[in-house]
Amino acid sequence: MSHKKEHIDVLLQSCLKGNQTAQLEIYNRYYKAMYNTALRIVKDSAEAEDVMQESFLKAFTKLDTFKGDVAFGAWLKRIVINNSIYHYKKQQKKNEVDLNDVIYKVEDNDSNAFDHASTKQKAQKVMETMKLLKDNYRISLTLHLIEGYDYDEISEIMNISYANCRTTISRAKESLRNKLTIAY
């Protein structure tokens, strides 16, 4: 066993006992590599910083599950990668804002492909118009289209039946289409 591996094992044992100095030492050894790993996936430095911090917290709270069959750095990196992928997908869902069907229905007469600037501008119009909807319409549409929740999750969050949830979202979309048609 190498001296460095032995030292890591001693640090990990101290971390299991709640030794914050040992945790800081582990953090200082690995944070740059873990930050770079997160950054390559999430592509945003602030987000990468958050992912890295969350990953270290998770690693320290789940340290008792570390079996030692792989190097600690590899185990930690797997946590960072999983968190990064989760955050990236979550961010993509937010950025994806699947409002294209609403935009296309409002502008059926425009058969040309949307360029990025016009799509962004239309998305901003939709977001502004959503603020004019009744609260339950706005909340249900936000949860569904922007946050990516399905009907089951939304009905649970809003404490309404599944059928009521589907109806509310359908009516919210229709209300949004109408307001967009009138406003623009």
Side-chain angles (χ1 to χ4, degrees):
M1 183 182 296
S2 74
H3 179 60
K4 194 166 192 165
K5 168 92 170 104
E6 185 178 315
H7 189 61
I8 285 291
D9 289 342
V10 171
L11 282 173
L12 292 175
Q13 288 305 314
S14 294
C15 288
L16 280 169
K17 294 174 185 168
N19 183 326
Q20 291 181 347
T21 306
Q23 289 176 340
L24 183 60
E25 175 68 24
I26 296 275
Y27 177 84
N28 286 334
R29 285 188 186 195
Y30 290 98
Y31 83 93
K32 287 180 187 171
M34 298 308 134
Y35 169 80
N36 288 331
T37 298
L39 184 61
R40 283 192 293 274
I41 296 170
V42 299
K43 299 177 182 169
D44 176 75
S45 91
E47 190 75 18
E49 184 78 27
D50 289 345
V51 167
M52 181 200 55
Q53 297 290 340
E54 288 174 23
S55 298
F56 271 101
L57 284 173
K58 186 173 189 174
F60 288 135
T61 58
K62 301 285 185 183
L63 195 56
D64 59 328
T65 66
F66 175 62
K67 303 285 186 245
D69 30 340
V70 296
F72 175 75
W75 182 77
L76 179 60
K77 190 173 210 173
R78 174 52 48 200
I79 292 172
V80 172
I81 289 170
N82 288 342
N83 276 350
S84 298
I85 290 169
Y86 170 78
H87 280 273
Y88 181 75
K89 285 180 178 177
K90 187 175 163 186
Q91 199 59 31
Q92 288 305 102
K93 272 187 179 177
K94 279 184 182 177
N95 293 341
E96 205 171 81
V97 184
D98 190 15
L99 297 174
N100 284 338
D101 61 315
V102 175
I103 293 169
Y104 286 127
K105 287 176 184 162
V106 170
E107 300 192 355
D108 281 337
N109 58 353
D110 186 6
S111 60
N112 297 333
F114 293 111
D115 68 326
H116 180 69
S118 103
T119 301
K120 186 175 180 177
Q121 194 173 37
K122 289 172 186 160
Q124 286 174 334
K125 286 179 186 176
V126 170
M127 296 302 286
E128 286 299 313
T129 306
M130 278 181 66
K131 293 177 184 175
L132 304 175
L133 296 175
K134 294 184 346 185
D135 284 347
N136 64 329
Y137 285 3
R138 181 182 46 76
I139 292 167
S140 63
L141 268 186
T142 300
L143 289 171
H144 185 62
L145 297 175
I146 298 170
E147 298 298 328
Y149 287 104
D150 63 24
Y151 294 125
D152 285 325
E153 294 168 322
I154 296 169
S155 60
E156 197 173 304
I157 291 168
M158 294 183 70
N159 199 24
I160 57 177
S161 71
Y162 180 85
N164 191 359
C165 177
R166 289 182 59 96
T167 302
T168 300
I169 290 173
S170 176
R171 289 179 181 166
K173 285 179 180 178
E174 188 59 35
S175 178
L176 181 61
R177 275 188 216 98
N178 291 339
K179 287 185 184 312
L180 283 167
T181 305
I182 293 167
Y184 305 104

